[in-house]
């Protein structure tokens, strides 16, 4: 019986930003699945007919089909048409592309004109291009093939609809990973999942916040996290940081304290062991909780690891430990976790059953596979080497081309702070760099109060180097030096 070609009925838009032709086609097919043009089990056109219709080389179509088959989006059967695989639509809606990709950011200039960003030094952005494609595709393929409904247990049976907030495989995987890599000893039942750290912070305010007491917050600090706390009614009190981290002597009778001890955000200091012990003593004396945001604690360079607050004496009772996949892997994963003191386990279960956010089940399953398979440990080792090289090249270029600036926070994390001479408006410099095609952050944006008050509040640029190729580090430093020189040459600017 003669075979007939599958009628072509797809509308595929190939985006050059997705890379080579095969990657463009793969991404377009995943979008077609997400949009409902293709459903699980649907046949696809032959590689020959699709290549002819789109004007592509057949080899590019074959490569795209092979890539999507390896990731589980397609199923190829000898002697039959290639079909959309089971679970492909759920995976595509979860953002499970075969490669984690990010759109090229754009900036708005002074006239409202969009300027393409050629050098993206925004902090808090890891490089998903460092993820091993095979490990990534394998994790998503297995996650997409699994049923979306989690197995019934005591939690999900009592709280239908919130099973994915208690995704047991991921909770177990994270508990083991944290024990091995961050010395955070906990049960899987102490780990709770959220679609981002800010969602977790909002939930924590609702669970343990006290309206009559403030929460202490690093100054300068993670402004987005501060707004997340305030949005749920928390009263935030800024507490200064110095070279050893948050100044514990400036704490009062707050109900809690938010800190980033592994790599203070944004200044980059590492909280000393003595300061950590003092902070735990304060929490015990005031019956307070410490919110330890370990956002990039896995990355450190030429320095010994320091203990998490959670791993120290009294830490398990006083510390709420927060972590996220957004800094380790890709921001688009939208999976964060919280390790709670055991006494808060049941209250959090009840709270999430009423009001909590639920993580995407496919993303949770994929991350669990990624952790359990050992791929996360391999990824962290690979990323550590890559980020260390990029950090070294960028800091070397800054010292060479910007000799008058002090560099802070270079021992750990994914960003460095360039402190500017007194009198330089860091926001104006940031905006000028945007027009020049370089994106970074102004240090002034991280202060709750007036960023211009006092020498300790001099301006700066917060520059992430995770996505800065080593070959372009000197170009980035040269752009900053040129923009700074233009500002310093303007009338009224104080001399350096």
């Amino acid at each position: 019986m003669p075979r007939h070609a599958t009628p072509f009925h797809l509308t595929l838009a190939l985006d050059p930003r997705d890379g080579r032709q095969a990657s463009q086609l793969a991404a377009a097919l995943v979008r077609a699945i997400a949009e409902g043009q293709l459903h699980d089990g649907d046949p696809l056109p032959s590689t020959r007919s699709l290549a002819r219709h789109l004007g592509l080389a057949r080899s590019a179509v074959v490569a795209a089909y092979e890539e999507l088959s390896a990731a589980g989006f397609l199923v190829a059967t000898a002697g039959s048409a290639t079909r959309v695989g089971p679970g492909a639509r759920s995976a595509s809606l979860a953002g499970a592309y075969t490669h984690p990709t990010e759109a090229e950011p754009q900036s708005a200039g002074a006239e409202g004109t969009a300027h393409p960003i050629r050098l993206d030094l925004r902090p808090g952005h890891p490089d998903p291009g460092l993820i091993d494609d095979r490990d990534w595709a394998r994790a998503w393929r297995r996650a997409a093939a699994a049923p979306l409904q989690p197995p019934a247990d005591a939690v999900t049976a009592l709280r239908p609809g919130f099973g994915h907030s208690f995704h047991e495989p991921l909770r177990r995987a994270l508990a083991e990973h944290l024990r091995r890599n961050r010395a955070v000893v906990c049960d899987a039942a102490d780990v709770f999942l959220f679609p981002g750290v800010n969602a977790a912070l909002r939930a924590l305010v609702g669970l343990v916040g006290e309206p009559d007491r403030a929460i202490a917050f690093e100054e300068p600090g993670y402004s987005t996290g501060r707004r997340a706390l305030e949005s749920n009614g928390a009263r935030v009190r800024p507490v200064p940081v110095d070279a050893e981290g948050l100044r514990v002597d400036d704490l009062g009778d707050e109900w809690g304290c938010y800190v980033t001890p592994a790599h203070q955000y944004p200044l980059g200091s590492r909280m000393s062991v003595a300061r950590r012990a003092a902070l735990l003593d304060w929490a015990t004396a005031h019956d307070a909780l410490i919110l330890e945001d370990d956002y990039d604690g896995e990355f450190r360079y030429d320095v010994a690891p320091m203990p998490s607050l959670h791993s120290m004496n009294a830490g398990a009772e006083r510390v709420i430990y927060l972590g996220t996949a957004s800094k380790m892997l890709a921001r688009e994963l939208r999976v964060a976790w919280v390790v709670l003191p055991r006494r808060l386990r049941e209250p959090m279960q009840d709270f999430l059953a009423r009001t909590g956010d639920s993580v995407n089940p496919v993303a949770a399953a994929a991350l669990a596979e990624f952790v359990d398979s050992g791929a996360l440990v391999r990824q962290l080792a690979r990323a550590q080497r890559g980020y260390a090289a990029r950090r070294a090249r960028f800091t070397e270029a800054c010292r060479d081309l910007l000799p008058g600036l002090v560099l802070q926070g270079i021992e750990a994390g994914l960003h460095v702070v360039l402190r500017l001479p007194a009198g330089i408006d860091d926001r104006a410099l940031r905006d000028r760099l945007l027009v020049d095609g370089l994106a970074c952050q102004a240090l002034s944006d991280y202060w709750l109060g007036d960023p211009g008050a006092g020498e300790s509040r001099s301006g700066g640029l917060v520059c992430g180097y995770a996505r800065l190729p080593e070959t372009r580090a000197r170009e980035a430093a040269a752009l900053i030096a040129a923009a700074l020189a233009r500002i310093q040459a303007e009338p009224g600017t104080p001399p350096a």
Side-chain angles (χ1 to χ4, degrees), residues 14 18-27 54-61 64:
L14 273 60
D18 290 318
R20 59 193 179 93
Q21 285 188 341
S23 297
Q24 293 178 36
L25 178 57
L54 296 177
L56 300 176
R58 186 180 176 222
S59 60
V61 181

Side-chain angles (χ1 to χ4, degrees), residues 39-242:
H39 296 267
D40 293 4
D42 281 356
L44 268 70
S46 70
T47 56
R48 193 180 305 278
S49 63
L50 185 53
R52 184 169 52 251
H53 183 87
L54 296 177
L56 300 176
R58 186 180 176 222
S59 60
V61 181
V62 171
Y65 276 24
E66 289 177 345
E67 184 175 342
L68 293 180
S69 296
F73 285 99
L74 304 181
V75 176
T77 304
S80 180
T82 299
R83 295 180 179 272
V84 179
R89 179 163 169 76
S90 297
S92 65
L93 290 172
Y97 286 70
T98 52
H99 302 279
T101 60
E102 294 185 82
E104 182 71 15
Q106 301 285 320
S107 67
E111 303 298 325
T113 304
H115 297 273
I117 298 302
R118 297 181 289 107
L119 295 168
D120 192 351
L121 275 65
R122 291 175 297 170
H125 290 252
D127 183 2
L130 294 176
I131 299 175
D132 183 84
D133 290 342
R134 295 181 185 177
D135 286 338
W136 185 256
R138 185 183 300 113
W140 282 98
R141 181 173 65 247
R142 293 178 178 175
L148 286 179
Q149 181 61 37
D153 58 19
V155 172
T156 57
L158 291 173
R159 300 166 177 84
F162 286 90
H164 304 309
S165 293
F166 308 97
H167 193 280
E168 291 306 315
L170 181 53
R171 296 173 84 187
R172 289 193 299 268
L174 287 172
E176 180 65 12
H177 173 78
L178 293 173
R179 181 186 68 81
R180 288 176 176 269
N181 295 277
R182 300 298 294 147
V184 174
V185 178
C186 61
D187 292 336
D190 299 324
V191 181
F192 293 85
L193 307 174
F194 295 88
V197 167
N198 293 329
L201 292 174
R202 288 190 292 268
L204 289 171
V205 171
L207 178 68
V208 298
E210 299 180 25
D212 296 332
R213 300 168 72 190
I215 178 171
F217 203 91
E218 296 171 325
E219 174 80 334
Y222 177 45
S223 53
T224 305
R226 183 180 68 235
R227 289 192 293 269
L229 293 169
E230 292 173 331
S231 70
N232 213 20
R235 181 164 54 90
V236 173
R237 188 177 81 82
V239 175
V241 298
D242 58 24

Side-chain angles (χ1 to χ4, degrees), residues 381-431:
R382 184 184 309 110
Q384 172 87 5
R385 293 191 298 270
Y387 295 149
R390 295 174 188 184
R391 156 193 168 268
R393 189 65 63 85
F394 180 60
T395 55
E396 177 186 359
C398 288
R399 290 187 175 114
D400 185 19
L401 301 176
L402 295 156
L405 303 192
V406 175
L407 277 65
Q408 291 182 236
I410 62 176
E411 294 86 5
L414 300 177
H415 73 267
V416 63
V417 176
L418 305 178
R419 295 307 289 260
L420 299 174
I424 299 296
D425 185 339
D426 56 2
R427 290 172 174 142
L429 179 56
R430 173 204 60 197
D431 293 345

Side-chain angles (χ1 to χ4, degrees), residues 181-391:
N181 295 277
R182 300 298 294 147
V184 174
V185 178
C186 61
D187 292 336
D190 299 324
V191 181
F192 293 85
L193 307 174
F194 295 88
V197 167
N198 293 329
L201 292 174
R202 288 190 292 268
L204 289 171
V205 171
L207 178 68
V208 298
E210 299 180 25
D212 296 332
R213 300 168 72 190
I215 178 171
F217 203 91
E218 296 171 325
E219 174 80 334
Y222 177 45
S223 53
T224 305
R226 183 180 68 235
R227 289 192 293 269
L229 293 169
E230 292 173 331
S231 70
N232 213 20
R235 181 164 54 90
V236 173
R237 188 177 81 82
V239 175
V241 298
D242 58 24
E244 293 187 65
L246 182 126
R247 284 164 36 179
V248 176
D249 289 345
D250 291 341
L251 292 172
D253 189 34
E254 293 82 15
W255 66 261
C257 177
Y258 172 92
V259 290
T260 52
H263 188 233
Q264 198 278 328
Y265 194 83
L267 292 181
S269 58
R270 302 173 78 219
M271 184 177 283
S272 67
V273 173
R275 191 71 61 86
R276 292 170 191 240
L279 182 58
L280 285 164
D281 289 343
W282 167 84
T284 301
H286 291 267
D287 192 24
L289 290 165
I290 301 169
L291 279 59
E292 178 182 14
D293 191 344
D294 197 30
Y295 68 100
D296 63 1
E298 289 82 7
F299 304 117
R300 54 188 177 272
Y301 317 102
D302 305 323
V303 291
M306 299 187 74
S308 65
L309 286 164
H310 188 282
S311 68
M312 297 177 66
N313 290 337
E317 289 299 312
R318 290 293 166 189
V319 176
I320 295 175
Y321 180 92
L322 298 99
T324 176
S326 295
K327 304 299 184 292
M328 292 192 298
L329 297 170
R331 291 169 64 90
E332 293 76 17
L333 267 180
R334 305 290 298 163
V335 179
W337 47 90
V338 169
V339 178
L340 290 177
R342 193 153 301 176
R343 69 182 185 277
L344 297 177
R345 181 192 295 175
E346 287 294 330
M348 179 59 86
Q349 289 178 352
D350 293 336
F351 179 84
L352 284 177
R354 298 192 309 271
T355 61
D357 292 304
S358 179
V359 300
N360 184 286
V362 182
L367 184 55
E369 289 282 353
F370 201 77
V371 177
D372 280 336
S373 68
L376 179 59
V377 172
R378 293 192 295 272
Q379 161 60 20
L380 290 175
R382 184 184 309 110
Q384 172 87 5
R385 293 191 298 270
Y387 295 149
R390 295 174 188 184
R391 156 193 168 268

